[in-house]
Amino acid sequence: MSVDFRKLKSFVKVVDAGSVSRAAGLLRTAQPALSQQIAALESHFKHKLLLRSNHGIVPTEAGFILYRHAQLLLKQIEQAQIDIDQSTKALAGRVSIGLATYSASSTLSLPILKEMSTLHPQIIVHINDSFGHVLSELIMTGKMDMAMIYGSGPIKGVKLQPLFREELYLVSRADPAKKATDEPLPLSALADVKLLLPSQGHFLRRLIDESLARARVTPNVASEIESVSALGAAVTEGLGSTILPASVAATASSFGGVEVRRLVRPAIEATVSLCVSDHLPLSEPALATRSVLLTVVEKLMRSHPQGIKAV
């Protein structure tokens, strides 16, 4: 039995769908035929690849390894077809970029799209800055090409290239009755401040909680919000203050008319890194996109935005 790309594509679809019947529907093939393809793969590799659980079908350890390699092979075949079709044309393809939520990186989406439109108009850029996704996992499994994420420490399956550090600020509704001040605010002063923060699973929330704990402050969390627009609206309505990079408050339209104050003793800083797979090579379009992304970051650093520092 030879391992052809049709069987690998079917295997990946079953893992993604978590069900043979759902995968059969998506592939428009009969369920018994799909089961035979999976059985043929298990026979060839001499390992059980899938297990049934209460949550559907999940890959075994061997199955997850094959899934990763299959993602790579299928992506290479797809890109090979694109390269062949476009061999006499400009660089083309599809590249996906993840941007950490509540990060200065989210403000780079428009500059990246503009540069790509100018330099590589035939590359389709997919940008994901939504909540609910662990970007490093999407990179590791080949579902996303690259991402700008919080953190600089080692993560299994990916490589991190630190890009910049960003300082977090207290963002509150401006009070017209009081004179605005840029005087730094110690974290100890937040003991009685009503806070609107991301949920506890978010990197920034963990960082904020750890910093407040070092300042011996128990945060007064009024709401947990996982939407930049909703957070901005809540702050401007006076429902509470939040803690964010200054660039997010400065560029998001929902944060009009807010006051931004630097936090000290201790300052809260987070590193933003470029994340790529450590085992899946980037396609030519992805390499071109990474070059554009790094150029956009370099331009950002030269403009010396508030709270952004070199690593």
Side-chain angles (χ1 to χ4, degrees), residues 13 16-27 31 34 55-57:
K13 188 64 70 175
D16 287 341
S19 162
V20 172
S21 59
R22 281 198 296 269
L26 293 170
L27 293 169
Q31 185 173 336
L34 190 56
H55 303 291
I57 287 180

Side-chain angles (χ1 to χ4, degrees), residues 91-114:
L91 195 61
R94 184 179 183 276
V95 179
S96 53
I97 307 172
L99 301 175
T101 51
Y102 290 153
S103 161
S105 66
S106 62
T107 67
L108 300 179
S109 57
L110 185 57
I112 290 171
L113 290 172
K114 284 183 175 180

Side-chain angles (χ1 to χ4, degrees), residues 46-109:
K46 297 180 174 58
H47 279 279
K48 186 78 173 174
L49 299 175
L50 299 173
L51 292 174
R52 294 188 181 275
S53 73
N54 294 333
H55 303 291
I57 287 180
V58 296
T60 63
E61 183 64 28
F64 183 68
I65 291 171
L66 178 60
Y67 177 82
R68 285 167 50 190
H69 284 284
Q71 288 272 31
L72 170 61
L73 292 169
L74 293 171
K75 183 177 287 189
Q76 288 179 327
I77 284 296
E78 179 184 359
Q79 189 59 48
Q81 184 65 61
I82 292 172
D83 291 345
I84 291 170
D85 293 341
Q86 300 293 334
S87 58
T88 59
K89 303 177 183 178
L91 195 61
R94 184 179 183 276
V95 179
S96 53
I97 307 172
L99 301 175
T101 51
Y102 290 153
S103 161
S105 66
S106 62
T107 67
L108 300 179
S109 57

Side-chain angles (χ1 to χ4, degrees), residues 5 8 12 15 52 66 78 94 96 121 153 157-158 162 172 174-175 177 182 201 222 245-246 255:
F5 290 105
L8 290 177
V12 167
V15 173
R52 294 188 181 275
L66 178 60
E78 179 184 359
R94 184 179 183 276
S96 53
V158 300
S172 310
D175 187 347
D182 57 2
F255 280 95

